[in-house]
Amino acid sequence: MKVYDPFENFLTTFNKAADYLGLGKDERDRVAYPERQVEVSLRVRMDDGSVKTFEGYRVQHNSARGPYKGGIRYHEKADINEVRALSAWMSIKCAVADIPYGGGKGGIKVDPSKLSEGELERLTRAYADAIYPVVGPYTDIPAPDVNTNGKIMGWFCDEYSKLNHSFTPAVVTGKPISIGGSLGREEATGLGVVIAAKTMLSNFGVEIKGKKVAVQGNGNVGSVASKYFAKEGCVIVAASDISGAVFDESGLDGELLRKMAVERKLLSEYPLGKGGKFVPGKDGNQALITCDTDILVPAALENQIDAENAGDVKAKYVIEAANGPTTAEADEILEKRGVIVVPDILANCGGVVVSYFEWSQNLNRYYFSEEEINERLAHKMKAAVNNVYGICKKYDCSLRMGAYITAVSKINEAAKMLGR
Ligand code: NAD
């Protein structure tokens, strides 16, 4: 069986973009490969007195446009190959969003649900100690990713600050508000998804108001997207989570979907009206992917739209709120069928944009209101979408390729100016 290597996957798309730009081997080499890969062994005292060793990673992909930026993932399947690919995607995402960062990513091979809170804190502090020499507010700025959160960022910030002998909130983003987190960060990704969808549709001369929307995943990103799609006058015809999917042609309540996510209530408990129905589990989630809708928003996991269901997708627009929700084969099928896919590196970049605002507020020690943050987010998202759309027209390519071309040319130009 062929072992799937996500970094090879990155290289395939990267090389297509490099072909469009006519880049030679040297230029490709300076943009494609990580600048530094760190693997660490973390020795952690467990509650029962034993000591366990965990593997940790930090990959710094490219710093030509600014310090490395990217999350830390705690997952039992985390490995250096995955982290390498994720770090490369961050270089691309930051360049598409036009924020002054390169890309990085970190991870620890661990199932955090098996650790006590104390063990999780000691693991996080051990990781911060181990990668201390290579991170910093002007070097590499981590953030939360899968199974990590504001509390974990707080421990990381504290450990770094102790080693640094000064309070250094700008070393991580996604922090709680009380220690320098930004207002608006929690909703930034979902709100950005809706701004991206609205702006891209308007480029195609289509108004978003009145469009039917189906959102897979009612978590932090999906529930916020549902709330703002509803505010734009869209009809949320379907929403799902791990319990299954709810469908209602007359429209689900966007505010309620958000409230349920905040209260960690599953959609199996959604109070459906007369015309509504609930389809449990995987079947519900599959039915959502192929339901009668104008806009499909995968906001849960990777590989949800695949070669098997892509031919049955009825939506005209797919807005990738999750990272990697469409397989490479499905992407080709959708493109041939004329379905417009707004790629993850563009659609969900609102999160890293507000992380950038958080970092910049920390460095300047001047904090903005939520309205100011949202206004700046909208400005950045619209500019990024319109820029990618312009590149697609110029090169007559898909939006995903347009985003890659945008990013690769920016990173390559910066590297050239630095004489790398
Ligand atoms: P989350 O954990 O808050 O929500 C995930 C949602 O997906 C939940 O409703 C969960 O029930 C549902 N889900 C989980 N497994 C499922 C399954 N097998 N079938 C259907 N639904 C399932 O996560 P999130 O922060 O909303 O992230 C969602 C996606 O967006 C991920 O791909 C993440 O990498 C990406 N993303 C998140 C951010 C961010 O700021 N949170 C930024 C960029 C990208």
Side-chain angles (χ1 to χ4, degrees):
M1 198 176 83
K2 186 178 181 301
V3 180
Y4 168 74
D5 179 347
F7 189 72
E8 286 298 325
N9 196 14
F10 161 75
L11 283 180
T12 305
T13 319
F14 168 84
N15 277 319
K16 277 188 202 159
D19 289 345
Y20 273 102
L21 292 164
L23 301 188
K25 185 177 180 314
D26 281 356
E27 291 169 301
R28 288 176 198 233
D29 285 352
R30 76 179 169 197
V31 180
Y33 296 99
E35 291 168 358
R36 183 184 282 132
Q37 301 188 151
V38 178
E39 294 192 53
V40 290
S41 249
L42 308 170
R43 300 277 290 157
V44 178
R45 176 84 54 195
M46 308 306 280
D47 290 347
D48 66 4
S50 65
V51 177
K52 258 194 184 170
T53 307
F54 297 89
E55 268 177 42
Y57 322 96
R58 185 75 191 168
V59 178
Q60 299 178 327
H61 179 259
N62 192 285
S63 61
R65 299 186 60 263
Y68 309 102
K69 180 89 192 91
I72 302 166
R73 165 173 299 206
Y74 288 180
H75 198 279
E76 58 194 332
K77 293 209 175 107
D79 67 26
I80 192 80
N81 282 339
E82 181 189 61
V83 175
R84 188 185 298 127
L86 291 165
S87 73
W89 284 319
M90 283 307 296
S91 296
I92 299 288
K93 196 181 284 191
C94 292
V96 169
D98 201 29
I99 52 177
Y101 286 138
K105 204 86 180 187
I108 302 179
K109 194 190 275 295
V110 61
D111 176 355
S113 69
K114 297 205 172 116
L115 300 190
S116 70
E117 173 130 334
E119 289 167 344
L120 197 60
E121 177 173 350
R122 291 193 289 280
L123 176 67
T124 302
R125 289 184 184 276
Y127 180 66
D129 289 346
I131 65 168
Y132 173 77
V134 297
V135 294
Y138 297 102
T139 323
D140 184 352
I141 306 125
D145 190 63
V146 175
N147 293 331
T148 52
N149 54 28
K151 190 186 242 182
I152 292 175
M153 294 308 108
W155 293 329
F156 190 100
C157 173
D158 186 55
E159 195 65 20
Y160 183 90
S161 296
K162 281 179 183 164
L163 292 167
N164 205 31
H165 298 291
S166 69
F167 180 53
T168 317
V171 69
V172 276
T173 60
K175 298 179 293 293
I177 304 284
S178 56
I179 54 168
S182 179
L183 294 169
R185 175 62 188 89
E186 209 169 299
E187 293 207 333
T189 308
L191 173 57
V193 164
V194 179
I195 299 168
K198 186 179 176 186
T199 310
M200 191 56 86
L201 261 66
S202 79
N203 275 311
F204 290 101
V206 177
E207 216 193 312
I208 201 166
K209 193 172 172 199
K211 290 280 168 295
K212 290 188 269 186
V213 180
V215 181
Q216 187 195 40
N218 196 51
N220 189 36
V221 178
S223 69
V224 174
S226 289
K227 174 176 138 181
Y228 286 103
F229 273 119
K231 278 197 175 168
E232 289 292 339
C234 296
V235 185
I236 312 294
V237 292
S240 72
D241 63 15
I242 191 85
S243 72
V246 280
F247 299 86
D248 192 339
E249 286 279 295
S250 62
L252 299 161
D253 181 341
E255 290 282 352
L256 179 58
L257 288 168
R258 176 64 186 145
K259 189 164 176 280
M260 289 182 73
V262 171
E263 291 171 0
R264 307 213 167 271
K265 281 194 182 140
L266 290 173
L267 292 178
S268 46
E269 290 180 51
Y270 187 92
L272 280 165
K274 251 191 200 161
K277 67 171 176 179
F278 175 73
V279 183
K282 216 173 169 186
D283 290 349
N285 273 285
Q286 278 304 314
L288 181 143
I289 297 285
T290 57
C291 77
D292 182 13
T293 184
D294 301 307
I295 300 173
L296 174 62
V297 185
L301 303 169
E302 58 278 10
N303 301 335
Q304 294 300 295
I305 307 177
D306 57 21
E308 291 204 354
N309 60 19
D312 297 323
V313 167
K314 297 189 186 60
K316 175 84 182 129
Y317 305 93
V318 173
I319 316 293
E320 292 186 336
N323 283 318
T326 312
T327 66
E329 292 111 312
D331 209 26
E332 273 179 30
I333 297 170
L334 293 177
E335 194 174 346
K336 275 190 197 131
R337 294 184 53 225
V339 177
I340 291 159
V341 179
V342 181
D344 45 9
I345 44 172
L346 177 60
N348 71 27
C349 71
V352 74
V353 167
V354 176
S355 273
Y356 160 55
F357 297 159
E358 178 178 334
W359 174 77
S360 140
Q361 291 171 94
N362 294 155
L363 292 177
N364 291 302
R365 285 148 174 82
Y366 183 84
Y367 288 82
F368 298 117
S369 69
E370 190 159 353
E371 290 69 36
E372 284 170 306
I373 295 287
N374 288 347
E375 214 171 283
R376 284 160 197 255
L377 169 67
H379 178 78
K380 276 282 184 203
M381 291 298 307
K382 285 179 198 165
V385 169
N386 292 336
N387 182 48
V388 167
Y389 180 74
I391 295 284
C392 291
K393 297 269 280 189
K394 180 174 167 192
Y395 289 94
D396 190 21
C397 62
S398 70
L399 293 173
R400 192 182 312 280
M401 193 43 60
Y404 264 79
I405 292 171
T406 303
V408 172
S409 88
K410 276 190 196 175
I411 301 167
N412 183 48
E413 181 60 21
K416 188 164 99 187
M417 288 302 120
L418 290 167
R420 290 183 181 178

